Amino acid sequence: MTRMILKWGALAALVGMALYLILALYAQQEFVFAMLFLVLTASAVFVFVNKKLYAHRYIFPAVAGMAVFVIFPLMYTVGIGFTNYSASNLLSFEQVKDNLMDRTYQSDSVRYNYELFNTDAGYVIYLEGQHQNLVSAPLALDGSDTSAPVLPASDKPAGEPLAIRDIIQLRSELSELDLLTEDGRELSMASLRAFAAINAQFTLHDNGSITNNQTDVTYFPDHDTGFYRSAEGQTLSPGWTVNIGWDNYMKVVSDPSIRGPFFEIFVWTLSFAVATVVFTLALGLLLANLLQWDQIRGKGFYRTMLILPYAVPAFISILVFKGLFNQNFGEINLVLEGLFGLRPDWFSDPALARTMILIVNTWLGYPYMMLLCMGLLQAIPRDLYEASAMDGAGPVNNLFNVTLPLIIKPLMPLLIASFAFNFNNFVLIALLTGGAPDIIGASTPAGTTDLLVSYTYRIAFQDSGQNFGLAAAIATAIFLVVGALSLINLKLSKVKV
């Protein structure tokens, strides 16, 4: 009985906390996340209460984790790709309307010069207008006063007004002060010597349009673009998020300033991923074969030294190589200049920059391939090599006729994983070149060494407009491309999916 009470009590407590989280997300207008946790909570209760689903209780945490960290982000990204979500279109329509209606401006027509007096009762502000003079009640001006009434006055307060240097010292307190007149107007500090009336920037009409009270221009809500727009085409910022259909995806193929850089970066990304797999496999297999050679002494030392690049954190190695390839002070250029009189522009020439990236990534990746090949080579019977030697085969023939056919099939899933990893190798590009040199004529941040993932990041977080919708569309395309290529590779290698 006690066990049942503890069980149901713990379940009730967890459900209560989950419902509190859901209500908090709903109150913050995070409807998508509230729905996600509501579905997960309902599913968890259904699985853990239903006795017929007892076995599923053990796999549910893994399924829930995949839903939260894989499926939901993917669906959310796909959804953003169909919107105009960007730095200028972050809010909802109601939030944009409230933001605009809260804006105010200071009127130049209702303006008062003022003098500040320090009396025994406190500070007193004396306002001088064209038709009327006003005086405030005594103020402390210590940050506690945010508003104060002002009344008509005929005479100035007794004493001398404060000098401008004293007013400057009290500027922050005066700027936070609102003076309220008898007719309901608000006056705020306009300069060191004047207060002016505060008026609403916009007026809302019954048909949903708003008028700028300063310019008398009327703006109408355009739900196709997500902006308030005037008859002349002028827009107000911020805008709101709206569904724009396939526009972001069509931009990638229809806008020349996006299409050209996108396909150039796509071809380079594909070439980079394939070349990295080929180079790291070739170097790793070569070194693994050399370490299997019986005539080599001190194999343990060589294995340790060759695996060291794999033990050093990648970001440290990348930054070290960035210094080595420095065009002016790097050791590589110093050696090349001393031997051949050459100083390659590694970071400004697109071909050399890509070559540098492949060199660095091959260095970072060959130890992994070498370890894999060393393990697989140990499983190949020595009798095969002895029989091959009796037939007169040399090392090259053994490599292509014995070694590769026996190790390529078990290596294929790992090669596909390496390809997928390098297809999205953001850290290498971000730390080594940052995508530079830039592609001339691109309307979005795009570099000749950018991979699709770094290109997407720059559109989302470095572009002046921070076009998250376009970045999400490209991210969706990357997912489809990587998934399709991986599936094709798996089918070609006859590995069961």
Side-chain angles (χ1 to χ4, degrees), residues 397-410:
N397 287 330
N398 286 337
L399 176 64
F400 288 100
N401 295 324
V402 178
T403 305
L404 277 178
L406 291 175
I407 69 171
I408 195 64
K409 192 167 185 178

Side-chain angles (χ1 to χ4, degrees), residues 427-441:
V427 174
L428 175 67
I429 304 303
L431 293 181
L432 190 58
T433 65
D438 291 335
I439 297 175
I440 306 300

Side-chain angles (χ1 to χ4, degrees), residues 154-465:
S154 55
D155 298 322
K156 292 183 180 181
E160 291 293 326
L162 296 182
I164 188 66
R165 62 177 179 273
D166 299 319
I167 293 178
I168 292 175
Q169 293 178 356
L170 296 169
R171 181 176 182 177
S172 60
E173 289 81 3
L174 290 170
S175 62
E176 296 175 358
L177 184 64
D178 291 332
L179 302 180
L180 309 177
T181 65
E182 287 183 317
D183 53 4
R185 289 179 300 178
E186 293 184 8
L187 306 176
S188 66
M189 187 177 179
S191 67
L192 288 174
R193 287 300 190 186
F195 272 73
I198 301 174
N199 297 326
Q201 181 80 48
F202 294 97
T203 299
L204 178 65
H205 303 292
D206 294 337
N207 62 355
S209 63
I210 60 175
T211 299
N212 190 324
N213 296 322
Q214 283 184 284
T215 61
D216 290 331
V217 176
T218 300
Y219 298 85
F220 298 88
D222 185 351
H223 293 284
D224 293 328
T225 61
F227 286 100
Y228 273 100
R229 189 180 299 275
S230 68
E232 291 76 19
Q234 298 174 341
T235 59
L236 292 176
S237 291
W240 60 93
T241 305
V242 296
N243 193 319
I244 59 174
W246 295 89
D247 287 0
N248 287 322
Y249 295 90
M250 294 304 298
K251 273 184 182 179
V252 177
V253 296
S254 62
D255 189 340
S257 62
I258 298 178
R259 181 182 64 228
F262 175 82
F263 282 104
E264 180 179 345
I265 293 172
F266 171 75
V267 172
W268 156 240
T269 303
L270 189 61
S271 304
F272 165 77
V274 172
T276 295
V277 172
V278 172
F279 292 158
T280 54
L281 176 61
L283 184 57
L285 181 58
L286 174 63
L287 294 174
N289 274 288
L290 289 175
L291 291 174
Q292 299 284 79
W293 196 11
D294 294 333
Q295 298 183 11
I296 291 183
R297 303 292 182 182
K299 292 181 181 179
F301 171 77
Y302 289 120
R303 288 194 186 101
T304 303
M305 296 304 295
L306 290 173
I307 292 172
L308 276 180
Y310 196 47
V312 178
F315 78 92
I316 294 177
S317 298
I318 294 170
L319 294 177
V320 169
F321 272 105
K322 187 174 184 179
L324 292 175
F325 279 102
N326 185 280
Q327 296 174 187
N328 297 317
F329 308 105
E331 285 77 3
I332 292 177
N333 270 15
L334 292 177
V335 172
L336 291 175
E337 185 178 25
L339 295 176
F340 308 106
L342 301 175
R343 294 182 68 89
D345 298 327
W346 295 107
F347 292 91
S348 56
D349 183 89
L352 290 176
R354 290 171 175 173
T355 302
M356 174 184 63
I357 288 173
L358 286 173
I359 293 172
V360 175
N361 208 35
T362 301
W363 170 266
L364 295 174
Y366 86 82
Y368 173 71
M369 292 297 180
M370 186 183 72
L371 288 173
L372 294 177
C373 293
M374 286 173 60
L376 292 172
L377 289 174
Q378 294 289 339
I380 299 177
R382 303 290 294 178
D383 297 346
L384 295 177
Y385 292 109
E386 293 175 0
S388 177
M390 293 179 63
D391 291 338
V396 176
N397 287 330
N398 286 337
L399 176 64
F400 288 100
N401 295 324
V402 178
T403 305
L404 277 178
L406 291 175
I407 69 171
I408 195 64
K409 192 167 185 178
L411 265 181
M412 188 56 68
L414 301 171
L415 296 179
I416 294 172
S418 177
F419 170 85
F421 170 79
N422 286 290
F423 199 91
N424 294 311
N425 197 339
F426 173 79
V427 174
L428 175 67
I429 304 303
L431 293 181
L432 190 58
T433 65
D438 291 335
I439 297 175
I440 306 300
S443 61
T444 55
T448 53
T449 60
D450 265 323
L451 302 181
L452 285 176
V453 63
S454 62
Y455 176 53
T456 304
Y457 173 83
R458 295 177 69 184
I459 290 175
F461 300 106
Q462 293 184 356
D463 192 9
S464 58

